[in-house]
Amino acid sequence: MPRKVNSGLDYDDGYDNYDDYDYDYDYDHEVKDDGYDEDNVASQLGKDAKKQGIWLCPICSYDNDETSFCCDICGAIQVYAPNYGKQKVNPASKDTRASAMSKSHAQISIATPKTNNLVDVFQSKRPNLYEKVQPDYRSAESNGKGKEALILSSPDNASESESSYSRENKDTIAPLSSNLNQLKLDKHPIYNRKTNTETQYQPEEWMLIDKGPGTLQQLNLAIVGHVDSGKSTLSGRLLHLLGKVSKKEMHKYEKEAKEKGKGSFAYAWAMDESSAERERGVTMTVAVAYFDSKKYHVVLLDSPGHKDLVPNMISGATQADAAVLVVDASTGSFEAGMDGYGIGQTREHAQLVRSFGVEQIIVAVNKMDVVGYSKERFNFIKSQLGAFLRSCGFKDSSIIWVPLSVVENQNLVTTTTDVRLSSWYRGFCLLDAIDSLQTPLRDVSKPLILPICDAIKTSMGNFAACGKLETGAICNGSKVLVMPLGELATIRSIERDSISYNSARAGDNVAVTLQGINSGHVLAGGVICHPDYPMQVAKHLELKILVLDISTPILVGSQVEFHIHHAKEAGRVAKMVALLDQKTGKVSKAPRILKGKQSAIIEVQLDGAVCVEEFSKSKALGRAFLRSSGTTIAVGIVTRILEHES
C-alpha cells in the first residue's frame, strides 16, 4: 500500500524576523482640521480613561462612549454599562475608521439592565441585545441592474437611529449583495453534490441485462491458512493442472527452485513471483490468478499466512465470496495453527474470513501423504477445527471437508487414485467442491461502489485501480468519483484477467484505467463511486465489536490499528458505550475494560479519515477489524458515523 504522506503549512517560515514590526510609538501629533484629535486618544491612556462618559476597552485600549455596549474597534463587550441604551451620539462612530458593523453596534438602542452582573444581563427576561438585533428578511428589492438583493431589516421596536442608519446605507448594501449573488462557488463534486439517497437511484438499462448463456459467473475465492500449510503450492498446482501454467513455465520454475535449494517450492513460484518472496519462501502479498471450472470463472486470491503479514491478508481477502482454508495434517503443524493468542493463523484467518461476510468455506486438509492418509487423523482434525468454525458462525452445511495431497496430486481436480484414501473417502475432489459453492447476490440496482485494493501502472504507462465491484456497474466512458479526495475521473478501459471488456458488474474483480485524474490521488484504501452518491469520509465511528481471544484487556485510550475494506489507519478507543449479551443482545452499562469473548459497543477515534459507510447501508464498507501488537483483537461492524469529514 502506498505510504501516506501528511503535509501541512510550515508556520515557522517568514515569522521569525521580529525586526519587521515597529513597537516604538511616536506620540507627536497634529490636530486635524475637523477638530477631532484621533492620535491624542492613544497618548492619554490612563489619564482620560476615567473621564466622564468614556470607558476604556481592556482589549485594544480604545476609548469608547459609555453608551456603547461593545468596543467600536474590536467588538469587546463592556462588562459594566450603566448608561448603555441612552440616546447619545458616539463621536467615535462618526469620524473614526471603525467598521460599519461596529458603528451599527454603537447606535443600537436598548433598555438598560439594572444590574452590575454580566451574567444577569443575559439571563434577564427583559429583551437583550441579541433579541433586539435578530434580523428578518424582507422581500428582495431590485438594485437597478436586473438583480435582486436581500435587505436586512430591523425589528419594529428597534431604535430610530438604527433604522436611519439602515436607510442611509441601503444604497451601499444593495450593490454589495448584488455582487455576492453574482459569485459562483467552485463546482467541487463533494461540496456541491446532490443530496441523493439510494432509493432515488435508478440503474441504467444496460446494467440490468444478464450476461450471455455461455458466460461463466465469477467467483472470488480466497486461499487462507497457517504459514507453510501449502497455500501457494496448492494454488500453483491447480493452475498447472488446469492449463494456466504451461509445461515450459513449470520446467523453468523447477529448475530455478532446485538451483536455490528449494525444489519443493516450484509450484509456489507460480504465485510468488517477487524475488523477496522466493528468497524467504513465504507469500508476502495477496497474489491474484484466474482459472475456469465447469461452473465458474474463479479469481484465486492467494493470501500470506505469516502472522506479521495479516494486514496484507485482510486487504486482499476482503474481496472473497468464499474461502479455502488450507490445513497441514502433519503432527504438530495442525496444533501450531490452532494455537491461540495470535500465534496460530488457522484460528485467526478463520475468524477474519467469517467477519468478511464469507459464509461458505472449504477445509482442504493438505499433506495427508505425510500421515499415511490416516482416517483417524482426518477425523481428529475435523472434530477439533469443526467445533472452532461453528463458534465463528459457520454452519455445518456450509463447511466442505476435503482431504488431499498437493505433492502427490491426490484429490485435486480428479478423485483420488490412492487406495489408502479412496478406501474411506467418497466425497468431492477440490475442483468439484469449488463448483458446489453458491455465489452471493450481486446487487447492480444500487450505486457504484468499488473499493480500491491496489493501484498499478499498466504496460502502456497508464494508471489502473484494481478491486472488486461490490455494487453497481461501470462501462467505458463512465464518470466516477474517486474518494476520499473527491476527484472526478473517467473510465478509460476495463480489464479482467488481462482481457479488455466494455463493462463490469457487481462481483467482478477488475482493473480500471482512469483518465482525468492525478495518479497520486488514486490510493489503495480509497473508493471509486457514483458522482451523485459519494462515500462518507469520517474518523470518529461507533462500532459493535466482538472481542477475540486476547491476553491484554481493551481499555479506554487503547491504541489500535483500524482496518476497513482495504484501508488501514491508526486510532484509539475513545469511549465504552455499552456491554452486550452475546445470546440475547441485551444492553448493559458501559464496562471499564473489555476481555476476551465479550461483545460491546465502543467509539473509535482515528488519526486520519477513511471511506466508510454504516453496515446497514453497505456491508462491504461497514465491516471493521481492530488489531494491536500484531494480533487481531476484535472484529465488528460500523453502527454509526459520529463525525463526518469534508
Side-chain angles (χ1 to χ4, degrees):
M1 182 182 294
R3 181 172 59 90
K4 298 181 180 179
V5 180
N6 296 324
S7 59
L9 297 175
D10 188 356
Y11 293 99
D12 295 330
D13 292 344
Y15 289 92
D16 55 352
N17 189 4
Y18 294 97
D19 295 336
D20 295 340
Y21 299 91
D22 186 10
Y23 293 102
D24 296 329
Y25 296 100
D26 186 6
Y27 294 110
D28 293 333
H29 59 277
E30 296 180 1
V31 179
K32 296 183 179 179
D33 295 338
D34 57 4
Y36 179 68
D37 191 352
E38 179 177 302
D39 296 331
N40 190 38
V41 176
S43 65
Q44 296 298 326
L45 291 176
K47 295 181 180 180
D48 299 336
K50 297 181 180 179
K51 292 181 179 180
Q52 185 66 25
I54 297 295
W55 65 274
L56 178 66
C57 176
I59 304 299
C60 65
S61 303
Y62 183 76
D63 288 345
N64 297 272
D65 192 274
E66 64 178 356
T67 59
S68 299
F69 181 77
C70 60
C71 179
D72 292 339
I73 299 301
C74 66
I77 298 175
Q78 183 183 178
V79 177
Y80 174 62
N83 297 320
Y84 178 73
K86 295 181 180 180
Q87 294 293 339
K88 184 175 181 179
V89 178
N90 185 4
S93 64
K94 290 182 179 180
D95 300 319
T96 62
R97 300 189 183 107
S99 64
M101 181 62 72
S102 60
K103 290 179 181 179
S104 63
H105 277 300
Q107 293 171 343
I108 296 174
S109 177
I110 191 171
T112 304
K114 296 182 179 181
T115 176
N116 294 341
N117 190 346
L118 182 62
V119 177
D120 296 338
V121 174
F122 294 101
Q123 292 180 346
S124 174
K125 295 182 180 180
R126 298 182 180 183
N128 55 39
L129 173 65
Y130 300 99
E131 294 173 343
K132 282 284 185 179
V133 300
Q134 200 64 260
D136 63 337
Y137 291 89
R138 291 191 278 112
S139 59
E141 298 181 7
S142 174
N143 59 9
K145 295 183 180 180
K147 301 287 183 178
E148 289 185 344
L150 291 175
I151 306 299
L152 283 172
S153 65
S154 57
D156 296 337
N157 58 350
S159 68
E160 183 180 354
S161 61
E162 181 186 3
S163 300
S164 62
Y165 174 77
S166 299
R167 288 193 297 269
E168 291 172 0
N169 291 274
K170 180 177 180 181
D171 296 334
T172 304
I173 297 176
L176 178 61
S177 301
S178 176
N179 293 335
L180 290 176
N181 288 336
Q182 293 175 5
L183 292 178
K184 293 183 179 179
L185 296 177
D186 243 349
K187 292 185 178 180
H188 195 281
I190 300 180
Y191 308 118
N192 293 302
R193 69 178 185 263
K194 300 176 182 178
T195 54
N196 297 330
T197 60
E198 288 188 1
T199 56
Q200 297 173 322
Y201 178 74
Q202 295 295 332
E204 300 178 32
E205 292 184 4
W206 65 268
M207 298 180 181
L208 303 176
I209 299 176
D210 293 334
K211 298 180 181 179
T215 305
L216 296 174
Q217 286 185 299
Q218 181 166 304
L219 179 70
N220 299 287
L221 191 66
I223 311 296
V224 299
H226 190 62
V227 64
D228 292 335
S229 60
K231 300 182 296 298
S232 296
T233 304
L234 170 64
S235 301
R237 187 96 195 216
L238 265 179
L239 295 176
H240 175 61
L241 293 173
L242 295 172
K244 290 296 180 178
V245 177
S246 65
K247 292 182 179 180
K248 182 179 179 180
E249 289 176 318
M250 199 64 243
H251 178 71
K252 175 186 175 183
Y253 294 147
E254 290 175 353
K255 182 180 178 181
E256 292 176 350
K258 287 179 180 178
E259 289 177 355
K260 293 191 176 183
K262 298 182 179 181
S264 61
F265 285 80
Y267 288 106
W269 282 18
M271 302 297 294
D272 301 336
E273 297 180 347
S274 70
S275 57
E277 289 177 321
R278 293 182 176 184
E279 187 69 28
R280 295 179 58 182
V282 295
T283 302
M284 301 177 68
T285 59
V286 175
V288 182
Y290 306 85
F291 69 85
D292 293 337
S293 66
K294 297 178 182 178
K295 188 177 178 182
Y296 296 117
H297 175 68
V298 180
V299 180
L300 211 59
L301 304 169
D302 182 26
S303 306
H306 197 279
K307 65 183 183 67
D308 294 337
L309 302 172
V310 172
N312 294 349
M313 175 265 180
I314 293 174
S315 178
T318 49
Q319 307 170 72
D321 299 321
V324 176
L325 179 62
V326 183
V327 177
D328 189 344
S330 57
T331 304
S333 297
F334 168 73
E335 288 75 11
M338 291 297 293
D339 194 6
Y341 302 112
I343 300 175
Q345 297 309 299
T346 301
R347 295 170 60 93
E348 185 171 4
H349 282 206
Q351 291 170 329
L352 288 173
V353 164
R354 183 65 188 94
S355 63
F356 295 157
V358 173
E359 297 180 352
Q360 304 171 91
I361 190 169
I362 298 172
V363 181
V365 184
N366 189 23
K367 303 184 182 180
M368 286 294 293
D369 56 302
V370 177
V371 294
Y373 297 99
S374 170
K375 181 180 179 180
E376 290 74 18
R377 180 63 175 171
F378 177 78
N379 289 336
F380 172 78
I381 293 173
K382 187 176 180 179
S383 62
Q384 293 288 319
L385 183 56
F388 177 75
L389 293 177
R390 285 189 292 271
S391 69
C392 293
F394 289 102
K395 298 179 181 179
D396 286 333
S397 59
S398 300
I399 305 174
I400 303 175
W401 300 86
V402 181
L404 52 86
S405 173
V406 176
V407 175
E408 296 187 357
N409 188 21
Q410 293 296 322
N411 217 29
L412 289 176
V413 297
T414 58
T415 55
T416 180
T417 57
D418 195 301
V419 180
R420 293 175 295 175
L421 180 58
S422 61
S423 61
W424 56 269
Y425 180 74
R426 300 287 190 276
F428 290 124
C429 66
L430 181 60
L431 190 61
D432 291 340
I434 293 174
D435 278 334
S436 69
L437 299 172
Q438 301 297 319
T439 56
L441 176 65
R442 313 296 195 189
D443 196 350
V444 297
S445 62
K446 291 184 178 180
L448 170 67
I449 296 179
L450 173 56
I452 302 174
C453 175
D454 197 7
I456 60 175
K457 224 174 190 180
T458 63
S459 57
M460 301 297 293
N462 297 317
F463 208 73
C466 304
K468 172 191 170 186
L469 271 78
E470 297 294 344
T471 58
I474 53 174
C475 66
N476 291 334
S478 296
K479 297 290 184 181
V480 296
L481 188 66
V482 181
M483 299 295 289
L485 296 181
E487 296 285 343
L488 280 172
T490 305
I491 301 295
R492 182 175 180 178
S493 63
I494 302 171
E495 289 187 3
R496 288 188 302 172
D497 192 11
S498 302
I499 301 174
S500 296
Y501 289 84
N502 292 326
S503 62
R505 294 175 176 82
D508 292 341
N509 196 296
V510 297
V512 295
T513 304
L514 302 172
Q515 65 179 10
I517 185 174
N518 190 334
S519 60
H521 294 172
V522 184
L523 302 175
V527 176
I528 297 175
C529 56
H530 194 287
D532 293 336
Y533 301 87
M535 292 296 97
Q536 299 191 68
V537 180
K539 60 180 180 180
H540 191 188
L541 308 170
E542 182 185 85
L543 307 178
K544 179 181 178 182
I545 64 168
L546 172 65
V547 183
L548 305 181
D549 294 325
I550 57 175
S551 56
T552 304
I554 301 175
L555 310 172
V556 174
S558 296
Q559 300 295 318
V560 296
E561 291 178 9
F562 180 82
H563 294 260
I564 187 165
H565 53 93
H566 308 296
K568 179 179 75 171
E569 193 63 52
R572 61 181 177 84
V573 178
K575 182 180 179 181
M576 302 281 188
V577 179
L579 189 66
L580 302 177
D581 187 284
Q582 294 189 38
K583 295 182 179 179
T584 63
K586 184 179 178 181
V587 179
S588 57
K589 65 179 182 179
R592 297 181 60 184
I593 62 172
L594 287 177
K595 303 176 182 178
K597 301 297 185 181
Q598 286 187 323
S599 182
I601 298 176
I602 66 172
E603 292 183 10
V604 174
Q605 183 72 43
L606 307 180
D607 293 348
V610 296
C611 296
V612 63
E613 284 285 357
E614 295 176 2
F615 183 77
S616 58
K617 297 179 180 179
S618 174
K619 293 183 178 180
L621 298 184
R623 293 189 176 97
F625 317 94
L626 302 182
R627 289 177 55 81
S628 178
S629 302
T631 305
T632 303
I633 60 175
V635 297
I637 60 175
V638 178
T639 54
R640 277 199 306 159
I641 298 175
L642 301 176
E643 181 181 346
H644 299 263
E645 294 291 318
S646 298

